[in-house]
Amino acid sequence: MPLRQSSIPRGAEMSMYRRVTYGDLAEFNILDTRQYRDDQANNDGNKPPSFDSTDPSRTILGQEQKRWLYDGLRRSQSIWNVLAQQVFFSQVDHQAGEVKILPMDGWDGYSAERNEVVEFLQKQHISNPIVLTGDVHTNWVFDIKSDFDNPNSTTVGAEFAGTSISSGGDRASSLHPDILYIENPHLKFFNDQRGYVRCTVTPQYWRSDYRLLDYVSRPGAPITTAASFICENGRPGIRRVSENV
């Protein structure tokens, strides 16, 4: 993919995290959750949480990138503060019942550091945190909770995960939405179609429209807005505003 000249590797190093600011409207902290992290816990995959995955010494960001992130968020004058990154930030339990099955490739495999980041967002009163996530090839919308195991805990921000444009074909997931919604009360939307997320940002609100196709295996599929969600400035949490538009 195209990269700026500043991103050309120097030896074994390739600096990919960076910050993009749009006046006082929005600041995008573009993270690298691949290069600096500890290896996935529990040999990767979807597994129950363990001492390894909850170990406070484990990192997905690396210490230098985390300091850079915190420093930028503290200094930000933007209304919306965005973490754009590659893997699930919110907790995602894939199994019904008391035993959780969590993706070790995402922040669930580094849950102590995720809790630290969420606590930082709260205590520093970071304005309107938004997490934008890719790489999961399906569509998800989450409230970010101060305690994902307590649905009544404080809502700190919002996460919007977008699908792939074509990878996986017409449908990509064998997940069961009913189980996902039951086990993850902070989950507000799941869909396994192809498409993209269109975000409209104003000083008053952030709106994410999930634009989806019924099929990508042949030309001609109409595109529709399957669901839309709004976050209001100063009011953490997601509100669904329309569907089947």
Side-chain angles (χ1 to χ4, degrees), residues 9-23:
R10 292 170 175 82
E13 296 295 324
M14 185 175 186
S15 179
M16 299 181 69
Y17 61 87
R18 60 196 185 278
R19 185 171 291 121
V20 179
T21 304
Y22 289 85

Side-chain angles (χ1 to χ4, degrees), residues 25-108:
L25 179 62
E27 186 162 270
F28 292 81
N29 299 278
I30 303 167
L31 305 180
D32 181 352
T33 60
R34 297 294 191 189
Q35 187 172 193
Y36 307 108
R37 67 178 178 177
D38 292 310
D39 198 10
Q40 292 96 327
N42 304 333
N43 295 314
D44 205 356
N46 295 333
K47 304 286 177 58
S50 67
F51 175 81
D52 195 14
S53 67
T54 59
D55 183 351
S57 70
R58 286 171 47 77
T59 180
I60 191 171
L61 294 174
Q63 295 306 313
E64 183 177 340
Q65 181 179 199
K66 187 162 60 176
R67 284 192 295 270
W68 167 88
L69 174 63
Y70 286 175
D71 182 58
L73 288 171
R74 285 192 193 96
R75 294 186 300 171
S76 173
Q77 300 297 310
S78 295
I79 295 170
W80 302 94
N81 286 281
V82 183
L83 277 60
Q85 48 97 58
Q86 296 79 31
V87 291
F88 281 130
F89 185 82
S90 299
Q91 180 172 285
V92 189
D93 183 3
H94 289 267
Q95 178 170 285
E98 294 185 7
V99 177
K100 292 181 175 64
I101 298 296
L102 308 176
M104 295 294 105
D105 188 50
W107 289 74
D108 278 329

